Amino acid sequence: MNISAGRSVGADSAQPFVEALEIAAGGWVFNARVAGPTDGRPVLFLHGFPQMSASWTAQLLGLAKAGYRAIAFDQRGYSPGARPPQESAYGRDELVGDVIAVLDALGLTRVDLVGHDWGGALAWQLAGLRPERLRTLTVVSTPHPVALTSAVRDDATGQREQSSYIRLFRTRRVAEEKLLADDAAYLRSAFATLPAEVTERYLAVLREPGALTGALNWYRAIDPKVLRDIGDIDVPTLYVWSDRDAAFGRAAAEATGASVTGPYRFEVLAGVDHWVPENGAEALTGLLLEHLAAFA
């Protein structure tokens, strides 16, 4: 793997075996974390809302120990060097373009792609639109957009209520005020099962000028109809869902396989909430290593 486009800014103090980099790509500069041998098989991780690349620390280390080159970057809106204020700058094509630009900047023709939450939604898009750039796909929590849409339309699934928070997030200015009010009580409640130091790390970034608006612009700029136009997925796919996920219900999770025509594996983590990379770290890392090995 060629990382000449990444400038080292020192080791991550919380995890000395994870190196912090800046990646210049597509006219932006993304903060990133990498681990593992530079010539290892590359695996790229995409985080969700409202987290950063640090959410993947356990997976970065687990894959590095197995000889993979694990890479995670703070995406558009989260990296200070990639935080355009315009809502229109967060459309599907821009977000997909960021990932392709990062791959190109690092000299990577193909990667194994892993995404959680919004990173999972973006991973589905990449698998549908740019499958030639992926060796395998792993999506955590987020159902295929066709399955999710169907579940939202069916009152019996409960998915419409589970997705109701999106209406707030799409409300300009009001959402920022509510999410940061009373010392960010709303976000602290969402992060309640994560360690306090992890929550403070995320909140510190979200309080930076323009950061929370950038993160919320993912919700505001995306047209659900556009997300559904990717077609079936032919890339070998692992989909991991947890049965205590407050955002995504069982109906959409179980229906996801109908939109995957390639090799497909669906795994349910019992007793784990939405924050699977952290709270289901050991199980997720194990499943990911099995999936990667199956398609060497």
Side-chain angles (χ1 to χ4, degrees), residues 88-275:
S88 60
Y90 294 80
R92 193 266 302 274
D93 291 346
E94 286 76 16
L95 301 177
V96 169
D98 285 343
V99 178
I100 298 302
V102 166
L103 296 184
D104 290 346
L106 298 178
L108 301 176
T109 302
R110 296 175 73 211
V111 295
D112 298 280
L113 186 65
V114 185
H116 171 245
D117 188 79
W118 254 118
L122 182 53
W124 286 119
Q125 301 301 306
L126 284 149
L129 299 172
R130 300 300 302 271
E132 77 281 0
R133 301 304 296 265
L134 306 187
R135 181 180 287 106
T136 67
L137 172 69
T138 299
V139 177
V140 184
S141 301
T142 318
H144 186 281
V146 170
L148 182 58
T149 299
S150 177
V152 168
R153 290 173 174 169
D154 184 350
D155 289 338
T157 68
Q159 184 61 58
R160 185 177 305 170
E161 178 61 27
Q162 286 181 283
S163 299
S164 62
Y165 65 92
I166 295 176
R167 290 195 296 271
L168 168 63
F169 289 1
R170 289 173 63 91
T171 306
R172 298 167 183 83
R173 293 186 297 278
V174 173
E176 285 88 337
E177 294 173 2
K178 182 174 178 60
L179 269 60
L180 292 178
D182 300 321
D183 192 27
Y186 186 104
L187 291 172
R188 290 183 185 279
S189 176
F191 287 140
T193 62
L194 296 178
E197 63 272 17
V198 172
T199 296
E200 294 306 324
R201 178 187 296 182
Y202 293 153
L203 291 179
V205 173
L206 294 171
R207 288 188 174 112
E208 293 175 0
L212 182 55
T213 294
L216 289 168
N217 278 345
W218 285 58
Y219 292 92
R220 295 164 178 165
I222 291 294
D223 180 349
K225 294 180 180 178
V226 172
L227 295 183
R228 295 195 300 270
D229 72 4
I230 57 173
D232 291 340
I233 305 301
D234 193 47
V235 177
T237 299
L238 167 65
Y239 174 45
V240 181
W241 175 76
S242 51
D243 65 2
R244 293 189 180 179
D245 193 320
F248 302 114
R250 183 176 291 276
E254 293 183 343
T256 286
S259 294
V260 182
T261 55
Y264 180 66
R265 180 178 178 181
F266 173 47
E267 292 288 344
V268 177
L269 300 185
V272 179
D273 64 7
H274 180 70
W275 312 116

